Amino acid sequence: MAALAALRALRRLCGVALFLSQLYVLSGRAGSLMTTKHSQPQSTFAKSLTSTSTNTPYFKIPESTEIPPYVTKCPSNGLCSRLPPDCMTCNTNYSCIYGKPATFDCKVKPYVHCVDQNNHEQENFTVNMTCQFCWQLATTDYVCTNSTNCMTVSCPRQRYNATCTVRDHIHCLGNRVFPKMLYCNWTGGYKWSTALALSITLGGFGADRFYLGQWREGLGKLFSFGGLGIWTLIDVLLIGVGYVGPADGSLYI
């Protein structure tokens, strides 16, 4: 009887253990389901935060209001045909006859305002000019750089490479800035009349050579008394015709 009672108690104990194990399993599944359900919205929210933080916020970029530098050269509400070339864009017609008048269709650049003969604002207009390239213009129509490193008084006369720019009111074909070979034409402030007067009056003492910056020739004339007068006469002729000039190679004024 005691063995039978122990066997029944053992069966009850096993049933209780089985019930507890099933209850534990069921509670674990329920917890995982609850965790999954709660984690999905959180991950979606985190994903939305991530996408929002990495993407650039959408807003309209304001247009640039910076005024181009060429506008300062363009007179406001002036005649379109008298605008400087930097203020317009023209259709180049290279089939025109050289040296003959030609008409070109032009359009003003942005931020440029001009009018016609009737004081009406316009964008498209025509410009009349002579058919020629910019480097073929007269010397008075462009400005060139000057060189102080070349000799103006030399035989043959020296040239230098200059960069020339067409004046604003001149219209022409091609590049408005171009290179050109020019004769040396700079001056250091020496006067031809002063040099000639010194050569005639005080040439025997080398005053003319000293004035022109030629110190060695001046000392030679001073200690030789103008080469006994011969050197003095020769210098008067050379300075008179302009063959002898300033030592720095510049022109007389």
Side-chain angles (χ1 to χ4, degrees), residues 38-114:
H38 286 290
S39 62
Q40 285 181 354
Q42 184 178 2
S43 62
T44 305
F45 179 72
K47 190 180 296 183
S48 64
L49 287 178
T50 305
S51 61
T52 306
S53 59
T54 55
N55 295 335
T56 305
Y58 176 77
F59 59 89
K60 186 177 180 181
I61 301 176
E63 298 181 357
S64 177
T65 57
E66 184 179 357
I67 299 177
Y70 61 80
V71 177
T72 58
K73 300 180 180 179
C74 308
S76 180
N77 296 327
L79 290 177
C80 295
S81 57
R82 295 185 180 180
L83 286 175
D86 293 337
C87 306
M88 65 182 75
T89 303
C90 299
N91 296 326
T92 306
N93 180 16
Y94 290 102
S95 62
C96 59
I97 302 175
Y98 172 73
K100 299 294 184 180
T103 302
F104 297 88
D105 296 328
C106 301
K107 182 180 180 180
V108 294
K109 291 183 178 181
Y111 299 98
V112 178
H113 302 281
C114 61

Side-chain angles (χ1 to χ4, degrees), residues 48-222:
S48 64
L49 287 178
T50 305
S51 61
T52 306
S53 59
T54 55
N55 295 335
T56 305
Y58 176 77
F59 59 89
K60 186 177 180 181
I61 301 176
E63 298 181 357
S64 177
T65 57
E66 184 179 357
I67 299 177
Y70 61 80
V71 177
T72 58
K73 300 180 180 179
C74 308
S76 180
N77 296 327
L79 290 177
C80 295
S81 57
R82 295 185 180 180
L83 286 175
D86 293 337
C87 306
M88 65 182 75
T89 303
C90 299
N91 296 326
T92 306
N93 180 16
Y94 290 102
S95 62
C96 59
I97 302 175
Y98 172 73
K100 299 294 184 180
T103 302
F104 297 88
D105 296 328
C106 301
K107 182 180 180 180
V108 294
K109 291 183 178 181
Y111 299 98
V112 178
H113 302 281
C114 61
V115 296
D116 56 7
Q117 297 292 343
N118 298 324
N119 205 25
H120 295 156
E121 186 173 356
Q122 61 177 173
E123 294 184 357
N124 301 313
F125 55 96
T126 58
V127 171
N128 298 321
M129 69 177 75
T130 303
C131 181
Q132 59 183 347
F133 287 96
C134 295
W135 60 269
Q136 296 173 323
L137 293 171
T139 55
T140 56
D141 294 335
Y142 54 83
V143 179
C144 300
T145 57
N146 208 344
S147 174
T148 58
N149 297 325
C150 59
M151 299 290 291
T152 58
V153 182
S154 61
C155 186
R157 192 176 178 185
Q158 292 186 4
R159 294 172 178 260
Y160 70 98
N161 291 319
T163 302
C164 302
T165 304
V166 182
R167 299 183 185 273
D168 290 339
H169 64 281
I170 302 298
H171 297 275
C172 56
L173 301 176
N175 295 327
R176 299 184 62 82
V177 179
F178 54 90
K180 197 166 188 177
M181 291 289 294
L182 298 178
Y183 286 109
C184 300
N185 59 352
W186 66 284
T187 179
Y190 297 94
K191 292 185 178 181
W192 172 81
S193 59
T194 303
L196 183 60
L198 290 174
S199 181
I200 295 174
T201 58
L202 300 174
F205 301 99
D208 50 353
R209 294 284 184 165
F210 286 128
Y211 171 74
L212 296 175
Q214 302 175 7
W215 296 97
R216 286 182 294 182
E217 291 81 355
L219 291 174
K221 291 182 70 176
L222 176 62

